């Protein structure tokens, strides 16, 4: 598989089979992704890979918090306000995803089940939590973003499905407790890795992209 093929194939899988991914493959993915560039080669990422019993305990603890109506408290807060055209794209995504699942927007129960699916790491057998020192700036978050895409492309090349999600880090204190993440690290994002349940309705949807003519302004060509 070449890089362009991997870029096109990668998508957010929101349902995984329970089949584990072997440790060797997971470490191979992380080894490949560790070649990601960063500001002055600072390599600000601290990676916690969870599978097996620790992940099951963490999943249960996160779901218990969610079911107990504990408000999510990500270390990196989500923006309170978005520019209107961006907000519109988010709205469109939600609408299309609900449609693909046959869920009505007003169906609170179904929406809650969708949220719970995210809190429970989409049932994935492995999750990578990407952390960094709290004192770092947006430039290090940028580096972590690049690392995330590298992980997902390396996974795609190996036939492993992935999902990057803010929902996975809704309860960072539980992640800290289970995986011994020190307080001085922010738990920035999580990436689920596993065998995608290809038949699952959650995985039929593909998010559209803006056309290149809208996204790119060319000069001098
Ligand atoms: C930083 C980040 C956070 C995300 N958080 C979530 C999330 O909490 N729940 C979810 O279902 N998808 C989440 N996504 C997935 C996006 O919705 C998805 O990448 C986007 O719709 C494009 O679809 P694709 O990944 O299938 O190409 C997140 C993606 C990124 C990059």
């Amino acid at each position: 598989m070449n890089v362009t093929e991997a870029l096109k194939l990668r998508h957010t899988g929101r349902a995984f089979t329970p089949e584990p991914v072997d440790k060797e493959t997971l470490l191979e993915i992380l080894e490949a992704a560790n070649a990601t560039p960063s500001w002055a080669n600072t390599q600000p990422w601290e990676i916690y890979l969870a599978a097996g019993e620790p992940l099951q305990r963490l999943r249960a603890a996160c779901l218990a918090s969610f079911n107990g109506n504990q408000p999510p408290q990500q270390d990196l807060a989500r923006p309170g306000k978005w520019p209107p055209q961006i907000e519109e794209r988010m709205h469109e995504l939600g609408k299309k995803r609900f449609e693909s699942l046959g869920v009505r927007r007003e169906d609170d129960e179904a929406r809650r089940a969708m949220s719970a699916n995210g809190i429970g790491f989409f049932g994935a057998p492995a999750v990578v939590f990407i952390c960094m020192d709290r004192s770092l700036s947006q430039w290090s978050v940028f580096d972590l973003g690049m690392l995330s895409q590298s992980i997902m492309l390396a996974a795609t090349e190996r036939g492993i499905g992935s999902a990057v999600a803010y929902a996975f880090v809704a309860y960072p204190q539980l992640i800290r407790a289970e995986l011994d993440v020190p307080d001085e690290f922010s738990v920035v994002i999580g990436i689920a890795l596993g065998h995608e349940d290809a038949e699952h309705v959650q995985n039929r949807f593909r998010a559209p992209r803006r056309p290149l003519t809208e996204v790119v302004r060319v000069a001098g060509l």
Side-chain angles (χ1 to χ4, degrees), residues 43 58 84 92 95 111 116-117 123 126 135 138 161 163 171 176 184 190 192 212-213:
Q43 305 167 69
L58 185 56
E92 265 304 293
K95 192 168 150 233
R111 289 179 67 135
N117 189 33
S135 65
Q138 288 181 16
Y171 302 107
R176 274 196 187 86
E184 60 265 30
L212 209 64
T213 45

Side-chain angles (χ1 to χ4, degrees), residues 69-174:
N69 294 320
Q70 290 281 333
Q73 222 169 9
Q74 280 92 343
D75 284 342
L76 261 69
R78 60 184 296 150
K81 208 168 154 37
W82 302 82
Q85 70 279 20
I86 301 271
E87 180 116 46
E88 173 59 24
R89 281 202 283 279
M90 268 195 302
H91 184 79
E92 265 304 293
L93 175 79
K95 192 168 150 233
K96 291 203 169 102
R97 282 204 55 224
F98 287 131
E99 274 168 16
S100 79
L101 296 169
V103 168
R104 282 178 303 108
R105 254 197 131 76
E106 324 72 69
D107 187 344
D108 289 342
E109 208 176 308
R111 289 179 67 135
R112 202 167 158 80
M114 281 171 73
S115 299
N117 189 33
I119 296 291
F121 317 126
F122 301 140
V127 181
V128 170
F129 295 98
I130 305 178
C131 307
M132 67 176 205
D133 193 285
R134 279 184 196 280
S135 65
L136 291 168
S137 77
Q138 288 181 16
W139 286 109
S140 300
V141 179
F142 179 95
D143 296 342
L144 265 53
M146 291 206 291
L147 174 78
S148 300
Q149 172 75 329
S150 298
I151 290 172
M152 293 188 285
L153 292 180
T156 305
E157 186 193 355
R158 288 161 181 81
I160 301 298
S162 62
V164 59
Y166 187 63
F168 299 165
V169 294
Y171 302 107
Q173 70 285 13
L174 298 177

